[in-house]
């Protein structure tokens, strides 16, 4: 039993020795906040990214602010799922909703394939793409409503 325990401890130490190569396409986000305005300029969307867990995960604290309304806050943790051999994420928000999905790098940025947002009995399929600029990225999100993909959001978020 002891040799097995030692092997498990050693293998987990080796696996955590360096950040996963798969997270490197997201490195430009780390250590910065990125902010955009919704159409009409009455609401802002801010994402602040930090490496956590010794660089094995990227944390995104997401805050939507609107005058006279409580902040909408969510947190995403991106990590390398070694079993599935891909970057995965878990998103939780202050209204009780959550989602989990995956991220794939593309030639122009990051793709978040179809996932499901769940809040109580509501289940909403969505997907997103982030196109990377010099000091900004454009977020484009769609929701699947009434048997078709509908634009939910298109916003440029600038490095703060």
């Amino acid at each position: 039993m002891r040799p097995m325990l030692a092997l498990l401890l050693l293998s987990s130490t080796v696996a955590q020795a360096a950040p996963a190569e798969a997270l490197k396409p997201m490195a430009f986000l780390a250590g910065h906040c990125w902010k955009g305005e919704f159409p009409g300029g009455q609401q802002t969307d801010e994402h602040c990214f930090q490496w956590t867990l010794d660089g094995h995960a990227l944390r995104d604290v997401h805050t939507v602010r609107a005058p006279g309304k409580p902040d909408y806050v969510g947190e995403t943790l991106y990590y390398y799922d070694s079993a599935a051999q891909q970057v995965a994420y878990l998103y939780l928000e202050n209204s009780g909703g959550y989602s989990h999905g995956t991220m794939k790098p593309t030639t122009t940025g990051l793709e978040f394939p179809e996932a499901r947002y769940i809040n109580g009995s509501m289940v909403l399929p969505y997907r997103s793409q982030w196109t990377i600029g010099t000091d900004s990225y454009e977020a484009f999100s769609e929701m699947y409503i009434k048997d078709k993909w509908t634009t939910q959001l298109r916003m440029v978020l600038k490095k703060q």
Side-chain angles (χ1 to χ4, degrees):
M1 185 68 169
R2 282 188 180 168
M4 179 67 95
L5 181 58
L7 181 61
L8 286 173
L9 290 173
L10 179 60
S11 67
S12 68
T13 301
V14 171
Q16 295 179 8
E21 183 71 25
L23 290 172
K24 288 184 179 179
M26 302 184 85
F28 76 98
L29 298 163
H32 305 288
C33 290
W34 304 77
K35 190 173 187 178
E37 288 187 1
F38 285 91
Q42 296 299 309
Q43 293 183 13
T44 61
D45 188 6
E46 183 176 50
H47 291 255
C48 295
F49 295 86
Q50 292 293 327
W51 290 114
T52 187
L53 304 172
D54 296 325
H56 298 287
L58 184 63
R59 179 181 181 215
D60 170 14
V61 177
H62 169 227
T63 306
V64 174
R65 293 181 177 91
K69 294 183 179 179
D71 290 349
Y72 167 89
V73 181
E75 290 195 27
T76 306
L77 195 62
Y78 297 95
Y79 60 95
Y80 181 67
D81 179 341
S82 59
Q85 297 186 348
Q86 62 187 349
V87 174
Y89 66 86
L90 173 63
Y91 174 72
L92 303 166
E93 63 177 26
N94 63 343
S95 71
Y98 68 93
S99 63
H100 53 87
T102 61
M103 182 283 296
K104 298 189 284 189
T106 67
T107 57
T108 59
L110 308 172
E111 177 185 346
F112 303 87
E114 184 178 339
R116 296 180 311 152
Y117 168 80
I118 301 168
N119 194 336
S121 63
M122 181 178 70
V123 177
L124 181 64
Y126 70 95
R127 62 187 181 191
S128 301
Q129 292 184 337
W130 294 359
T131 304
I132 301 170
T134 304
D135 285 324
S136 65
Y137 68 91
E138 180 184 63
F140 174 69
S141 297
E142 297 177 298
M143 299 179 296
Y144 195 74
I145 301 174
K146 298 182 181 177
D147 299 325
K148 67 177 182 174
W149 287 102
T150 304
T151 299
Q152 173 192 22
L153 170 71
R154 185 178 294 271
M155 175 185 296
V156 174
L157 292 99
K158 297 178 182 174
K159 188 189 295 186
Q160 300 298 292

